[in-house]
Amino acid sequence: MSFAKNLARVSGVLSLALAVRGQKYNTTGYTLQDAYDASNFFESFDFFSGPDPTSGFVQYADAVTANSTGLAGYANNGIYLGVDYQTANPSAGRASVRLSSKKAYTHGLIIADIAHQPDSVCGSWPAFWTFGPSWPHSGEIDIIEGVNKQTNSTITLHTAPGCSFSQNSFSSADCGSPGDGTQGCGASTQDTQTFGAGFNAIGGGVYALQWTSDAIKVFFFPRTGKIPADINAGNPNPSNWGRPTASFSGGSCNIDANFMNHNIVFDTTFCGQWAGKVWSEDPVCSAKASTCQEYVASNPADFQNTYWLINSVKVFSEAGATKRGIAKRFDA
Ligand SMILES: *[C@@H]1O[C@H](CO)[C@@H](O)[C@H](O)[C@H]1NC(C)=O
Ligand SMILES: *[C@@H]1O[C@H](CO)[C@@H](O)[C@H](O)[C@H]1NC(C)=O
Ligand SMILES: *[C@@H]1O[C@H](CO)[C@@H](O)[C@H](O)[C@H]1NC(C)=O
């Protein structure tokens, strides 16, 4: 045991030395801080098994249940996070998982290589997002999110009122709107490869969140030949990436006062405050059942493709700003 510990310490010191030396010569400004993949994911993320804060028709499983029922595990060299697609009329909600990184981050570059995300299916509400303590005061960044048959990802920021961006590529709304942060600011992307079935049809791709004091940007790169070489090389350089899919900058928002200590989250819920709320406005879904919950309860087989398959999530910090960039985990 102490042998392993010593080894870890030695390799830690070595990589630190390399990183420090690298900073002198590399111009990208980003250094790998944490890599989560099929070798360590479930040791680095916690299962949230409480009632869904978004009032979904879902029962989030704990780690032991998720493993024993096949809801979560390592598969295809990646991380599989699925839902129960066999049980009809589960009384407490359809079983699913919601995982949060043990570590929390302020600033940095989060790069997620995702092979599959939940398909665009009536009743589902998957999300890949980050958020901090005392919601909405430490902010929330929704990187991939959508409901029901939607074909495009919605990228949204939430925080306390008084934060708006002039360079928000979607709208200029206050990210604390409508007074409690529940609506936030942001909008749908103009790209059907960013979400659900369209994303899965091309084998997924890479999402990157770049978060500095000046801007919050989200980039999406389809797997079909569009992933930048610097990402594949492990030396990401956002200044080479062109126009982001979403960019929030300028305006009145003090990013550092409104966004901090974020845990990284993947989840899939059903119905609730978004998918359920808009059910009756969706002509295709509402024709299948009068309520979202009724549909989700009685059509388990529709959720066979409602799963995440994540190759990796890598967190890079700004070189020279490592101390400032790392936040200790906040226990809820
Ligand atoms: C610097 O660049 C080299 C070559 O691309 C790479 O091997 C090294 O990991 C980089 N170092 C940092 C700190 O990014
Ligand atoms: C799930 O349980 C099996 C059997 O105990 C174990 O071998 C496996 O490592 C577990 N998977 C995860 C992701 O913890
Ligand atoms: C989704 O993307 C397509 C193009 O890829 C676009 O035509 C459509 O308007 C987008 N949908 C929404 C709701 O923005």
Side-chain angles (χ1 to χ4, degrees):
M1 221 166 67
S2 65
F3 176 69
K5 253 195 187 145
N6 281 337
L7 253 189
R9 195 171 302 136
V10 168
S11 75
V13 168
L14 266 181
S15 58
L16 186 67
L18 282 176
V20 167
R21 193 177 309 143
Q23 278 168 27
K24 270 191 184 161
Y25 304 103
N26 290 2
T27 53
T28 78
Y30 283 103
T31 306
L32 182 64
Q33 186 182 342
D34 292 300
Y36 303 117
D37 57 24
S39 71
N40 64 357
F41 189 86
F42 291 107
E43 292 149 39
S44 316
F45 279 67
D46 289 324
F47 283 79
F48 170 86
S49 57
D52 180 11
T54 62
S55 315
F57 179 63
V58 71
Q59 187 171 36
Y60 285 129
D62 61 27
V64 172
T65 310
N67 186 346
S68 66
T69 57
L71 287 174
Y74 297 123
N76 288 19
N77 294 319
I79 299 109
Y80 172 93
L81 306 175
V83 306
D84 173 2
Y85 57 87
Q86 288 168 327
T87 308
N89 302 312
S91 56
R94 187 157 295 290
S96 177
V97 292
R98 168 173 161 153
L99 286 99
S100 300
S101 63
K102 292 186 192 216
K103 272 178 102 167
Y105 302 93
T106 302
H107 291 179
L109 185 61
I110 298 177
I111 300 187
D113 184 330
I114 301 172
H116 188 278
Q117 56 171 277
D119 236 329
S120 311
V121 176
C122 293
S124 70
W125 174 5
F128 165 45
W129 52 297
T130 71
F131 79 115
S134 314
W135 195 94
H137 298 280
S138 308
E140 170 179 328
I141 305 171
D142 301 322
I143 304 166
I144 303 177
E145 191 178 23
V147 296
N148 298 326
K149 287 286 199 187
Q150 284 179 2
T151 54
N152 307 36
S153 181
T154 301
I155 298 172
T156 310
L157 305 186
H158 301 265
T159 186
C163 156
S164 51
F165 293 96
S166 56
Q167 300 302 312
N168 178 341
S169 51
F170 301 127
S171 72
S172 57
D174 189 331
C175 302
S177 69
D180 60 1
T182 51
Q183 186 184 319
C185 60
S188 181
T189 67
Q190 293 299 306
D191 180 354
T192 57
Q193 293 185 332
T194 58
F195 189 72
F199 179 92
N200 297 332
I202 55 160
V206 167
Y207 267 92
L209 165 67
Q210 185 187 21
W211 170 5
T212 68
S213 296
D214 301 323
I216 291 174
K217 298 178 184 177
V218 172
F219 297 82
F220 170 65
F221 307 110
R223 182 146 345 262
T224 45
K226 301 277 170 53
I227 301 171
D230 54 49
I231 289 184
N232 289 327
N235 200 9
N237 186 355
S239 60
N240 288 337
W241 296 349
R243 218 169 138 233
T245 306
S247 178
F248 302 85
S249 66
S252 72
C253 192
N254 178 338
I255 290 179
D256 289 349
N258 284 280
F259 296 88
M260 66 196 87
N261 300 322
H262 282 201
N263 298 96
I264 301 167
V265 185
F266 287 92
D267 74 68
T268 304
T269 184
F270 299 97
C271 306
Q273 289 165 11
W274 189 6
K277 196 174 164 203
V278 301
W279 184 260
S280 60
E281 295 158 26
D282 186 314
V284 177
C285 296
S286 59
K288 291 171 184 267
S290 60
T291 67
C292 182
Q293 181 163 330
E294 182 189 324
Y295 184 77
V296 170
S298 53
N299 292 280
D302 262 24
F303 303 105
Q304 190 145 4
N305 288 318
T306 302
Y307 67 90
W308 294 93
L309 186 62
I310 302 150
N311 292 326
S312 64
V313 178
K314 292 180 180 168
V315 183
F316 295 82
S317 54
E318 295 168 277
T322 313
K323 280 236 170 67
R324 188 163 49 96
I326 300 174
K328 278 246 160 12
R329 178 189 178 205
F330 256 78
D331 286 286

